[in-house]
Amino acid sequence: MAARRPYHHGNLREALVEAAIGLIGETGPQGFSLAEAARRAGVSPAAPYRHFKGRDDLLEEIAKRGFDEFAEAMEAAWDEGRPNPLAAFARLGQTYLDFARQRPAYYVAMFESELSLADNPDLWQASERGFATLIRAAEALSAPLPKDRRPPPRMFANHIWALSHGVVELFARGKRGTRSPISAEDMLNSGVLIYLRGLGLIGD
């Protein structure tokens, strides 16, 4: 039997992460194993255990990287509410759609892999960064409302997050026009406008 070729990548951890990202993008979060990631990286099935405790540990690393990148994108899009909170808020929605389309493997690992954020403080903290930007945006948008009509910022942010996630799942993941002739962008923007109008933040 021929000897296994020596590993030449130089960074086994990164090679395994990249291999897993490719597998998740092709087959989903449940469609890869540590052994398959090792095979794709060109190493023995035992090699990944030098860096990861198991499959979920590798999946958590990918999700954390995704949350970190997502948070940076959301912070850049919000840009402290410039030039005004409504315009900046619209950029957040587009950023959410763009991230889901452009980084599908990260998005799946973050939101569809059934990882327990509560059991991983680092992952929870990473996930909260992007959400914190949405909370700040909700606070800025609802500031003109009287206090007795102002929704809690986290609830406001949760509503928008749920709307964004729903649009991604139903209208932004497949080919255009397969579920609706309306684009995902128009679907999300119209939903947000209806929500903001219901709060009395914008007029007709």
Side-chain angles (χ1 to χ4, degrees):
M1 179 182 295
R4 179 179 293 274
R5 294 180 62 190
Y7 181 71
H8 289 298
H9 288 82
N11 191 334
L12 176 56
R13 183 181 181 86
E14 290 303 311
L16 290 167
V17 168
E18 289 302 315
I21 287 172
L23 289 168
I24 293 169
E26 294 167 14
T27 62
Q30 309 306 326
F32 85 98
S33 64
L34 210 56
E36 179 61 18
R39 186 196 66 76
R40 183 165 290 198
V43 296
S44 72
Y49 291 96
R50 301 173 199 165
H51 299 280
F52 299 102
K53 297 175 185 177
R55 176 185 170 282
D56 283 354
D57 195 28
L58 176 53
L59 193 57
E60 286 174 359
E61 173 65 19
I62 294 167
K64 183 180 182 303
R65 293 184 185 200
F67 279 124
D68 286 341
E69 185 176 316
F70 176 72
E72 290 173 5
M74 292 287 278
E75 288 167 1
W78 174 241
D79 191 26
E80 301 303 327
R82 291 185 283 260
N84 61 72
L86 189 58
F89 196 71
R91 290 197 303 267
L92 290 178
Q94 187 62 55
T95 297
Y96 195 98
L97 293 179
D98 288 344
F99 185 87
R101 286 174 174 146
Q102 295 168 10
R103 308 295 267 170
Y106 278 147
Y107 188 89
V108 166
M110 292 156 62
F111 298 118
E112 299 173 13
S113 61
E114 299 181 357
L115 292 174
S116 174
L117 299 181
D119 293 334
N120 187 322
D122 289 341
L123 194 59
W124 169 260
Q125 190 172 38
S127 73
E128 282 290 285
R129 272 187 62 204
F131 191 60
T133 300
L134 195 55
I135 292 175
R136 291 200 305 274
E139 287 175 330
L141 276 172
S142 58
L145 294 175
K147 287 187 176 181
D148 61 343
R149 290 182 49 211
R150 194 180 303 165
R154 194 172 188 92
M155 183 180 73
F156 187 147
N158 274 325
H159 288 161
I160 298 300
W161 191 289
L163 176 59
S164 303
H165 191 74
V167 168
V168 166
E169 292 300 312
L170 292 173
F171 303 107
R173 300 292 284 276
K175 295 181 179 179
R176 290 181 180 272
T178 54
R179 287 184 178 270
S180 171
I182 304 172
S183 70
E185 283 79 5
D186 286 344
M187 193 73 68
L188 179 57
N189 288 338
S190 62
V192 170
L193 287 174
I194 291 169
Y195 182 83
L196 297 180
R197 188 173 294 134
L199 290 176
L201 289 170
I202 58 173
D204 294 335

